[in-house]
């Protein structure tokens, strides 16, 4: 059975602060099981988003994408996102809004409601540890993620977004 | 027999020339930069593909215990982690003195061909199809994945589901979606259960059918644009690839085969455990990426091309029937023109995708996948070399391990590095054909990117943090002062600074 809530972390733990999102969901893993949330919440991670990840969105009530970000405000930015055609030239990766757009194109229906948690990172060098500032941001972001886990209400989630 | 001259690599008199940079190259993995030096009449004097990021991974793994390598190296690349997982495992097989059991080898093959299938599907259906289906000069706003999904929804959907199938094969054989641990020194740590086999068999027929259709699409692209496809970014090159002992295409294991421009064999079935006797790596001051060459021909003339086009044209046959038929048609097409064309990469890639699907079907019907004999070992060795044919070409992992089981030396020659000079030749060919003497436009610059994308280069950057991928074209004067800049915004539009 598909868990109604999906947290999808994107990042490469060998790249300094790019590990923020994977570390967040790994931190939640034990906690969610202890809280009896395992059937309600699925935690996934990958190096980067790709088109086939639309298949992971099927049957969800809500999706949270989590990613490190070079430029967002400290400690994080949390927002609801919507399908958007990605006109940009990209590398092999796609952004979350473009993934929602691909979902609509492939399945002919809107994707589940989706949110994006961008955690501010600073250093992305190969082999670097998590920077101190990023570690502090991770603590803040984890507290938000725990709040989100506690309620599946979209209104509650939207109330936590900025703007 | 000599390779073409490397003219346009270095301008004779760079002073006073304008510099145009395409930075980063889009829709390739990682960050690359192309620079062109032009004179006041827009004549091209120098063209170079630079690799912006220094990988440093070979240092990163030093000091680690050898058994960690197959897992660690997956972090090298977000696109082909499985290729590194398997190449490192093969090297570690040597370290532990193992000869693989049938179950271990077949589980690894299933994993590897799953990787080939999903990687080729991504490249053809989502990275290159915007250029190929809309045209190199088409509206930049359409020339992307979303444009394909809108105009060709069935193709976009097939690309998604083919890739998903390959990923599922990887998940089952590697144990996890990412950070897989399935392949270990000396074998694998799990087999494929009957239930998992049946899960993959359920869809394999559809995967084969779509792969056959994709070969047909690639052929039709050539038929519809024969002159363009035959001649675009064309250049001659020596070739290097693995072949099975009987000369068949084998992407998991074999001996090295090198041929010159005329198809004469330079060496064949060469034991890759001593690759350094036939391949050496040159460095150039303007690029972080090394330039491998065939030792017998030297650094100037010995560069070569690897990857699907080389493999499909240089093997003696493909050991699965549908792909072999497709290979014969490819070689015979228009007197063999497609097999010599840079854009022939796309057609060859689809033939390999079909071969991967056929191979996976064969493996799924093999009861060895359910075997229980998973790991072997033998006399411990200090040196291990693992070579496979990864989606983009020959991949070499070479490790030296000390008596404390720590990796003390690592050398990786990744597929894109093998193709370094070949890609430079391709873009110089484009510069001569399309750019020399003309006013630069986005469409013309995209021609250069189309040539690079044919190789499906992976420039090693698994960092993807949001907000990092602008395309900037800078115009600088002889003193390197920026006099103009054109930037591609996130919505695909161009704007002046």
């Amino acid at each position: 059975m598909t868990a109604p809530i999906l947290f999808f972390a994107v990042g490469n733990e060998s790249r300094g602060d790019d590990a923020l999102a994977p570390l967040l969901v790994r931190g939640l893993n034990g906690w969610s099981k202890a809280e009896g949330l395992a059937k309600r919440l699925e935690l996934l991670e990958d190096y980067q988003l790709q088109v086939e990840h639309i298949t992971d969105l099927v049957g969800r009530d809500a999706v949270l994408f989590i990613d490190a970000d070079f430029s967002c405000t400290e400690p994080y930015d949390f927002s609801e996102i919507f399908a958007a055609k990605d006109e940009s030239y990209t590398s092999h990766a796609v952004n979350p809004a473009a993934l929602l757009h691909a979902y609509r194109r492939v399945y002919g229906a809107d994707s589940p409601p989706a949110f994006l948690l961008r955690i501010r990172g600073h250093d992305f060098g190969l082999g670097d540890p998590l920077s101190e500032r990023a570690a502090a941001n991770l603590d803040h972001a984890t507290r938000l993620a725990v709040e989100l886990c506690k309620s599946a209400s979209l209104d509650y989630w939207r109330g936590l977004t900025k703007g | 027999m000599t390779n073409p001259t490397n003219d346009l690599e270095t301008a004779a008199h760079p002073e006073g020339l304008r510099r145009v940079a395409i930075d980063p190259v889009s829709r390739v993995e990682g960050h690359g930069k192309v620079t062109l030096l032009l004179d006041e009449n827009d004549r091209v004097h120098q063209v170079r593909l630079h690799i912006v990021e220094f990988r440093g991974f070979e240092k990163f793994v030093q000091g680690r215990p050898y058994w960690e390598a197959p897992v660690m190296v997956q972090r090298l690349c977000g696109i082909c982690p499985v290729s590194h997982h398997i190449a490192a495992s093969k090297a570690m097989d040597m370290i532990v003195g193992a000869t693989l059991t049938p179950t271990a080898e077949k589980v690894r093959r299933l994993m590897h061909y799953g990787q080939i299938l999903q990687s080729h599907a991504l490249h053809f259906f989502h990275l290159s199809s915007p250029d190929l289906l809309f045209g190199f000069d088409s509206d930049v706003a359409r020339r992307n994945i979303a444009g394909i999904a809108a105009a060709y929804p069935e193709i976009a959907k097939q690309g998604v589901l083919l890739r998903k199938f390959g990923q599922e094969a990887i998940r089952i054989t590697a144990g996890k979606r990412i950070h897989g641990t399935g392949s270990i020194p000396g074998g694998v740590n799990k087999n494929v259960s009957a239930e998992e086999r049946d899960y993959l068999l359920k869809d394999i027929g559809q995967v084969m059918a779509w792969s056959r259709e994709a070969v047909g699409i690639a052929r039709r692209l050539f038929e519809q644009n024969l002159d363009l496809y035959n001649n675009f970014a064309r250049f001659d090159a020596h070739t290097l690839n693995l072949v099975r002992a009987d000369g068949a295409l084998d992407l998991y294991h074999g001996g090295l085969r090198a041929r010159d421009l005329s198809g004469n064999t330079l060496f064949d079935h060469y034991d890759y455990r001593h690759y350094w006797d036939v391949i050496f790596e040159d460095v150039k001051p303007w690029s972080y990426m090394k330039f491998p060459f065939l030792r017998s021909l030297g650094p100037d003339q010995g560069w070569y091309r690897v990857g699907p086009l080389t493999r499909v044209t240089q093997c003696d046959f493909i050991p699965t029937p549908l792909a072999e038929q497709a290979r014969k048609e490819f070689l015979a097409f228009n007197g063999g023109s497609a097999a010599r064309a840079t854009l022939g990469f796309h057609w060859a890639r689809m033939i390999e995708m079909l071969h991967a699907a056929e191979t996976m079907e064969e493996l799924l019907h093999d009861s060895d996948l359910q075997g229980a004999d998973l790991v072997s070992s033998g006399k411990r060795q200090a040196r291990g070399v693992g070579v496979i044919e990864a989606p983009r070409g020959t991949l070499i992992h070479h490790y030296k391990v000390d008596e404390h089981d720590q990796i003390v030396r690592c050398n990786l020659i990744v597929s894109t590095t093998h193709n370094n000079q070949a890609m430079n030749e391709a873009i110089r060919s484009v510069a001569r054909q399309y750019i020399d003497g003309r006013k630069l436009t986005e469409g013309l610059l995209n021609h250069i990117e189309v040539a690079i994308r044919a190789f499906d280069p992976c420039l090693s950057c698994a960092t993807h943090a949001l907000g990092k991928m602008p395309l900037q074209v800078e115009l600088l004067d002889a003193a390197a002062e920026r006099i103009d800049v054109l930037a591609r915004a996130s919505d695909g539009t161009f704007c002046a600074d």
Side-chain angles (χ1 to χ4, degrees), chain B residues 167-189:
Chain B
Q167 298 285 37
E168 286 296 277
I170 291 167
R171 180 183 62 78
I172 285 169
T173 51
K176 293 195 288 182
R177 287 163 63 118
I178 62 167
H179 312 305
T181 55
S183 184
I184 59 177
V188 294
N189 65 8

Side-chain angles (χ1 to χ4, degrees), chain A residues 8 10-15 18 26 44-48 50-56 67-70 85-96 101 105-106 116 118 124 126-127, chain B residues 26-29 53 55-57 60 74-75 78-79 122 127 140-141 143-144 146 149-150 157 160 163-164 167 177-179 392 442 446 456 460 462-466 468 488 490-492:
Chain A
F8 199 123
V10 187
N12 183 345
E13 64 184 296
S14 293
R15 296 276 185 168
D18 204 30
R26 284 177 215 168
L44 292 178
E45 62 175 281
D46 212 330
Y47 293 117
Q48 49 204 19
Q50 234 345 304
V51 284
E52 73 273 12
H53 290 135
I54 61 172
T55 61
D56 293 313
D67 201 349
D69 195 301
F70 264 172
K85 190 177 170 187
D86 182 5
E87 307 278 26
S88 67
Y89 271 60
T90 66
S91 76
H92 284 64
V94 296
N95 67 54
H101 186 268
R105 286 289 182 190
V106 170
L116 174 61
R118 297 184 293 156
F124 291 78
L126 178 64
Chain B
S26 55
R27 278 185 285 139
V28 300
E29 174 59 9
E53 180 166 332
R55 179 182 289 114
F57 214 87
F60 185 49
Q74 294 176 80
R75 300 177 198 162
I79 287 297
L122 176 70
L127 300 180
V140 67
R143 214 190 305 134
N144 51 42
K157 184 175 183 177
V160 168
R163 198 168 149 80
K164 182 69 179 178
Q167 298 285 37
R177 287 163 63 118
I178 62 167
H179 312 305
R392 294 159 185 81
E442 187 279 333
N446 188 53
D456 190 16
S460 182
T463 296
H464 64 282
L466 296 168
K468 275 194 70 180
R488 184 146 44 201
S490 60
D491 64 358

Side-chain angles (χ1 to χ4, degrees), chain B residues 435-472:
Chain B
I435 293 175
D436 196 34
R438 298 188 194 179
K439 287 291 176 197
L440 280 177
T441 63
E442 187 279 333
L444 281 179
L445 291 176
N446 188 53
H447 281 61
I448 283 185
E449 298 190 49
V450 169
I452 296 169
R453 280 197 287 277
F455 292 81
D456 190 16
C458 181
L459 306 180
S460 182
C461 175
T463 296
H464 64 282
L466 296 168
K468 275 194 70 180
M469 289 295 289
L471 175 70
Q472 235 179 34

Side-chain angles (χ1 to χ4, degrees), chain B residues 125 148-149 151-159 210 213:
Chain B
F125 287 90
I148 287 294
Y152 302 94
E154 198 54 34
I155 285 179
K157 184 175 183 177
Q158 288 173 11
W210 284 340
E213 288 174 23

Side-chain angles (χ1 to χ4, degrees), chain B residues 375-406:
Chain B
V375 185
S376 61
S377 62
K379 187 181 176 192
R380 173 77 154 71
Q381 306 290 322
R383 186 195 304 274
V385 180
V387 180
I388 62 168
E389 285 292 342
R392 294 159 185 81
T394 314
L395 171 63
I396 298 174
H397 275 228
H398 180 184
Y399 302 89
K400 198 169 178 190
V401 176
D402 69 10
E403 65 275 18
H404 305 296
D405 293 340
Q406 288 186 331

Side-chain angles (χ1 to χ4, degrees), chain B residues 38-284:
Chain B
L38 310 173
D39 66 18
E40 65 274 15
N41 297 316
D42 295 312
R43 302 302 305 267
V44 179
H45 289 256
Q46 179 178 295
V47 184
R48 291 174 173 174
L49 170 64
H50 306 253
I51 303 309
V52 177
E53 180 166 332
F54 179 59
R55 179 182 289 114
F57 214 87
E58 290 153 331
K59 291 278 182 202
F60 185 49
V61 298
Q62 283 181 14
R64 302 279 184 156
Y66 72 81
W67 54 81
E68 283 187 1
V71 174
M72 280 194 67
V73 294
Q74 294 176 80
R75 300 177 198 162
L76 201 59
C77 174
I79 287 297
C80 51
V82 172
S83 300
H84 292 293
H85 183 48
I86 291 175
S89 297
K90 286 185 73 177
M92 297 312 157
D93 293 343
M94 273 183 72
I95 297 288
V96 300
T99 301
L100 290 191
T101 67
T103 296
E105 179 170 332
K106 287 171 186 176
V107 169
R108 280 194 195 170
R109 281 182 179 271
L110 184 60
M111 188 191 304
H112 184 46
Y113 281 88
Q115 163 81 349
I116 294 284
L117 185 124
Q118 61 93 358
S119 178
H120 283 1
L122 176 70
H123 184 265
F124 186 73
F125 287 90
H126 290 279
L127 300 180
S128 288
S129 60
D131 296 320
L132 305 179
L133 296 174
F134 293 139
F136 310 164
D137 288 316
S138 59
D139 178 6
V140 67
R142 295 177 76 203
R143 214 190 305 134
N144 51 42
I145 294 171
I148 287 294
Y152 302 94
E154 198 54 34
I155 285 179
K157 184 175 183 177
Q158 288 173 11
V160 168
L161 297 179
L162 279 168
R163 198 168 149 80
K164 182 69 179 178
F165 181 82
Q167 298 285 37
E168 286 296 277
I170 291 167
R171 180 183 62 78
I172 285 169
T173 51
K176 293 195 288 182
R177 287 163 63 118
I178 62 167
H179 312 305
T181 55
S183 184
I184 59 177
V188 294
N189 65 8
K190 74 181 284 291
N191 65 7
V192 175
S193 70
E195 187 181 25
E196 290 168 332
R197 173 201 62 199
D198 293 345
Y199 170 72
L200 292 175
L201 276 174
K202 172 171 60 72
D203 293 325
I204 191 69
Q206 183 64 73
V207 165
M208 298 238 303
W210 284 340
S211 298
R212 291 183 78 175
E213 288 174 23
V215 174
I217 293 171
R219 180 190 177 101
R220 285 195 294 280
L221 287 167
F222 259 86
E223 289 171 338
Q224 291 164 4
N225 307 279
L226 194 57
D227 188 51
L228 172 68
Y229 274 65
N230 276 343
N231 297 308
F232 180 81
R234 187 166 179 148
F235 66 97
D236 295 318
H238 309 308
T239 57
L240 178 81
N241 57 306
L242 281 182
V243 287
R244 205 166 71 181
D246 59 359
L249 178 73
D250 191 333
L251 303 179
Y252 176 78
H253 192 65
L256 291 169
R257 168 179 286 178
R259 287 184 169 150
D260 70 14
L261 307 178
S262 302
N264 300 312
T265 300
L266 298 167
F267 52 81
D268 206 1
H269 304 295
Y270 193 85
D271 185 344
Y272 66 64
R273 291 176 296 181
H274 304 283
Y275 72 90
W276 55 86
D277 287 335
V278 290
I279 299 168
F280 202 69
E281 296 172 275
D282 194 19
V283 292
K284 301 197 178 189

